[in-house]
Amino acid sequence: CVSRRLYCEAEQDPKRRSCQTVLAEALDIVVRSFAPILPHLAEEVFQYLPYKKDSEGVFRSGWIKASSGWKKPGTEEAIEGACAIRDSFLGSISGKNALEYEVVIVIEPGLLFELMEVLQAEESSSVSQLNEIMMASQTTLLSEFPKETPTDANIIKGTFLINLEGGDIREESAYEVIVLPTAKAKCPRCRRYTAQSSSTPCPRCMNVLAGKGSG
């Protein structure tokens, strides 16, 4: 989530910096959007922007100029698919802390699996974009059901309809989510259940504290 990227990652970590970039772009667009109807508020916000501006005032900066670089094919669908899977997961643990669980997402090879790989290149991760969306302590992405699964595991099944290129590419994909209570301890720094002991930071936080980035 945003708060973990900003407060837990190393100061110059790309994940933290990219989060700041998105927040700055979003604020810039919002301020320009309401400037015509709330000019004084927009100008005050503009003057307090904590980064270098191209002009002295919001009304001298021109209208919204969103870069086409923000629109990447497949990104929106990948996020929507991940959110649909997350909703299945969260619905199965209603009222409980998602960080106390690990999730295994099983998707047969196809478009949905490829979209999820955009969000998580490695098989298992506690710091990937996919895991951030899932809000779990760790997410594992598999293309086939694991041979060994604990008998007490909670398994949720669902489908997601992918709609790309304005409807020219449509594919309904099935997925399964295996929900497992995490066996690790809560990290005293990032609060994720990824530490070996509740008295010591997790490996990622140890790297950040040692000045080695996010690891």
Side-chain angles (χ1 to χ4, degrees):
C1 67
V2 171
S3 60
R4 289 196 181 87
R5 282 197 178 200
L6 293 176
Y7 297 116
C8 296
E9 301 292 356
E11 184 177 0
Q12 297 300 323
D13 188 283
K15 290 182 180 179
R16 183 175 185 273
R17 297 291 290 161
S18 65
C19 182
Q20 290 177 314
T21 299
V22 170
L23 291 175
E25 183 73 9
L27 178 60
D28 182 79
I29 290 176
V30 169
V31 171
R32 293 173 194 266
S33 297
F34 69 64
I37 56 176
L38 294 170
H40 299 293
L41 177 60
E43 185 61 36
E44 183 176 2
V45 173
F46 188 84
Q47 293 302 325
Y48 279 94
L49 293 177
Y51 49 83
K52 185 178 179 180
K53 300 175 283 290
D54 296 331
S55 61
E56 296 180 357
V58 66
F59 290 101
R60 295 183 179 180
S61 62
W63 189 234
I64 299 169
K65 299 184 290 289
S67 171
S68 59
W70 290 99
K71 183 64 175 178
K72 294 183 178 180
T75 300
E76 181 178 351
E77 289 73 19
I79 299 297
E80 289 179 350
C83 287
I85 297 173
R86 179 197 61 194
D87 290 346
S88 296
F89 160 54
L90 295 179
S92 71
I93 59 163
S94 180
K96 298 180 181 178
N97 184 1
L99 286 173
E100 297 180 3
Y101 295 88
E102 298 178 7
V103 296
V104 179
I105 302 172
V106 184
I107 308 172
E108 292 185 358
L111 188 53
L112 182 59
F113 185 84
E114 293 173 3
L115 290 174
M116 293 305 101
E117 282 189 313
V118 172
L119 303 175
Q120 179 170 302
E122 58 271 51
E123 184 175 282
S124 297
S125 176
S126 61
V127 296
S128 68
Q129 293 181 5
L130 180 58
N131 189 67
E132 287 186 348
I133 294 172
M134 296 302 295
M135 300 168 62
S137 275
Q138 178 175 289
T139 296
T140 298
L141 180 62
L142 301 176
S143 59
E144 58 182 21
F145 204 87
K147 295 180 179 178
E148 297 183 3
T149 303
T151 55
D152 59 344
N154 188 7
I155 302 175
I156 307 103
K157 297 182 179 181
T159 60
F160 179 73
L161 178 62
I162 300 169
N163 194 338
L164 287 169
E165 304 295 335
D168 292 338
I169 301 176
R170 293 170 61 88
E171 181 179 300
E172 186 172 45
S173 299
Y175 62 82
E176 294 179 274
V177 183
I178 305 172
V179 182
L180 302 165
T182 183
K184 295 185 178 180
K186 180 191 289 186
C187 171
R189 181 174 181 270
C190 70
R191 318 303 289 175
R192 284 178 174 167
Y193 288 77
T194 52
Q196 298 301 320
S197 167
S198 59
S199 61
T200 57
C202 66
R204 181 193 66 158
C205 286
M206 290 289 285
N207 284 334
V208 173
L209 294 171
K212 299 178 182 179
S214 63

